[in-house]
Amino acid sequence: MNAPAGFFEPTAPLAYEGPESRNPFAFRWYDKDRVVLGKRMEDHLRFAVAYWHSFTWPGGDPFGGETFLRPWMHGSDELALARAKADVAFELFRILDVPYFAFHDRDIAPEGQSLKESNANVRTIADIFARKMETSKVKLLWGTANLFSNRRFMAGAATNPDPDVFAYSAAQVKNVLEVTHELGGENYVLWGGREGYETLLNTDLKSELDHMGRFLNLVVEHKYKIGFKGTILIEPKPQEPTKHQYDFDVGTVYGLLCRAGLEKEVKLNIEANHATLAGHSFEHEIAMAAALGVFGSIDMNKGDAQSGWDTDQFPTNVEDTALAMYEILKAGGYTTGGTNFDAKIRRQSIDSDDLVLAHSAAMDVCARALLIAADMVEDGALKKAVDERYAGWQTPAAKAMLAPGASLDSIAARAEAENLDPQPRSGRQERLEALAVSYLR
């Protein structure tokens, strides 16, 4: 099966026309060659299209089936359908002029009758990707293995009580990690989905945490064995679908990495909607990862304020996105990471061009947010306020308290000798929030 000719309209790559443009098939803010803080906008943002939501999700929900009826979703020859899907995917990459894409193995190729056949199917489509990438600008931001959809993973993958599931998962990850390496991928993401438990009545917590740590170490060991130069990433995911997720948020995952001795080896891929489901803001999770030295990449999307689940909507809020971009810039920007749109169009958006417009509008939101965040950095007022608040820690006495050799005895003696009587100082939160909003112009 071949992808239908003219599936997307227009077929020409979208161009930058400026903020005054009302052309829906043009960028208003994303000018990829514009230099921002000494770097091209494209190099700052490193946009990626997510294969799963864009080409695999059929538009269903718990109360109704598929709505998209894509021509590559139905037929008896599943590999032919996967090839057609690849044709459409690379056409969208070309129209959007994005530098990257990302995939799960089950998104790109059908599951076979055996593990060996499933892995072979992935390699068949990966070979197609490789040929298409030779004549395309698009590169692979990251690959990952789907260790959650099949019923075999209902009790987890690395944390499953059945060792055969652990072994099956290891073989699946090995295949996708090697494919990612062969395609020049810049990262490999581990996202369990079901690494957690429903009830303690049937759970051995210590064993599951031990097994998860060993699994992560096996992946890192194999990375070095095959010469993969990219970054291993873990994506925190709270609440869904497991009630008690071991990878709940940045802080939780960092604790897991420290327990496994991998805090210097593995970084994090942070999703906006996962952050809010964990009770945090997106910028909090980015800032926390940066503070802990594990910031790697992001999945850009947003949740629905009225829904308590992962709705994976395209970002539309410039202010929220600007605050996230500000934290990314403060962290030094991406290295191997990027801005992956882990987002899906709504189930009523059934036109093919809805997929184009959703991405282009989101790219504009991120571009405008980047410009705002750059203004925040260049102006320096927010940083100055923070520096002033912590200025006391630059004094010799304060530094001495943190130095080797300091003790509670010495600190307490100085506090008494100097008759310390510290008085509270305003955090100036409202003033700083007003300052942050003032950059939205």
Side-chain angles (χ1 to χ4, degrees), residues 4-280:
F7 183 78
F8 293 111
E9 293 291 344
T11 58
L14 304 188
Y16 171 74
E17 292 187 359
E20 303 305 316
S21 174
R22 289 297 179 266
N23 177 6
F25 292 102
F27 294 118
R28 300 178 61 227
W29 297 97
Y30 180 56
D31 181 1
K32 68 177 185 178
D33 292 319
R34 178 173 177 176
V35 176
V36 180
L37 298 180
K39 187 187 295 186
R40 293 172 63 250
M41 186 175 279
E42 181 179 64
D43 298 330
H44 268 294
L45 294 168
R46 294 166 61 89
F47 286 130
V49 173
Y51 211 93
W52 51 101
H53 288 324
S54 296
F55 311 110
T56 306
W57 185 58
D61 67 16
F63 300 97
E66 64 179 317
T67 59
F68 293 155
L69 303 178
R70 305 302 195 201
W72 58 85
M73 290 183 175
H74 297 282
S76 57
D77 189 338
E78 291 187 301
L79 274 176
L81 296 173
R83 294 186 186 98
K85 180 164 53 174
D87 289 341
V88 173
F90 275 77
E91 179 66 4
L92 181 63
F93 304 157
R94 185 188 65 81
I95 292 170
L96 293 172
D97 194 25
V98 291
Y100 294 102
F101 72 105
F103 70 84
H104 298 76
D105 52 354
R106 291 287 76 84
D107 308 320
I108 67 172
E111 188 159 8
Q113 296 301 308
S114 66
L115 172 63
K116 183 177 181 180
E117 182 180 335
S118 296
N119 286 344
N121 288 345
V122 171
R123 289 195 164 275
T124 295
I125 302 304
D127 288 343
I128 293 173
F129 284 177
R131 291 194 295 271
K132 289 180 176 294
M133 291 167 72
E134 288 177 356
T135 57
S136 169
K137 70 167 281 185
V138 74
K139 296 176 288 187
L140 180 60
L141 186 65
W142 51 262
T144 189
N146 180 328
L147 304 179
F148 49 88
S149 293
N150 191 289
R151 66 193 297 269
R152 72 175 62 90
F153 301 121
M154 64 183 182
T159 59
N160 200 291
D162 184 346
D164 286 350
V165 176
F166 183 103
Y168 191 105
S169 304
Q172 195 174 331
V173 168
K174 174 183 179 292
N175 186 60
V176 186
L177 177 57
E178 291 174 355
V179 165
T180 299
H181 174 46
E182 291 159 15
L183 290 174
E186 299 190 18
N187 308 270
Y188 182 84
V189 172
L190 290 158
W191 178 59
R194 299 186 188 277
E195 306 295 14
Y197 70 92
E198 297 292 346
T199 175
L200 285 172
L201 297 176
N202 65 4
T203 301
D204 182 340
L205 271 175
K206 184 179 184 304
S207 290
E208 294 199 356
L209 291 172
D210 287 345
H211 299 163
M212 189 172 186
R214 182 61 186 135
F215 194 95
L216 296 176
N217 269 282
L218 289 168
V219 173
V220 172
E221 290 165 10
H222 196 66
K223 163 191 168 173
Y224 287 109
K225 180 179 180 179
I226 64 176
F228 179 54
K229 302 300 184 184
T231 305
I232 302 295
L233 300 169
I234 292 180
E235 182 169 321
K237 175 75 163 83
Q239 299 181 18
E240 294 181 348
T242 305
K243 184 164 61 175
H244 299 287
Q245 292 282 139
Y246 298 135
D247 49 0
F248 184 84
D249 62 4
V250 168
T252 305
V253 174
Y254 184 73
L256 288 173
L257 292 176
C258 290
R259 190 175 189 272
L262 294 173
E263 67 273 19
K264 302 297 185 182
E265 289 284 354
V266 178
K267 297 189 183 300
L268 273 58
N269 182 62
I270 302 165
E271 180 178 315
N273 204 172
H274 293 177
T276 52
L277 285 173
H280 305 305

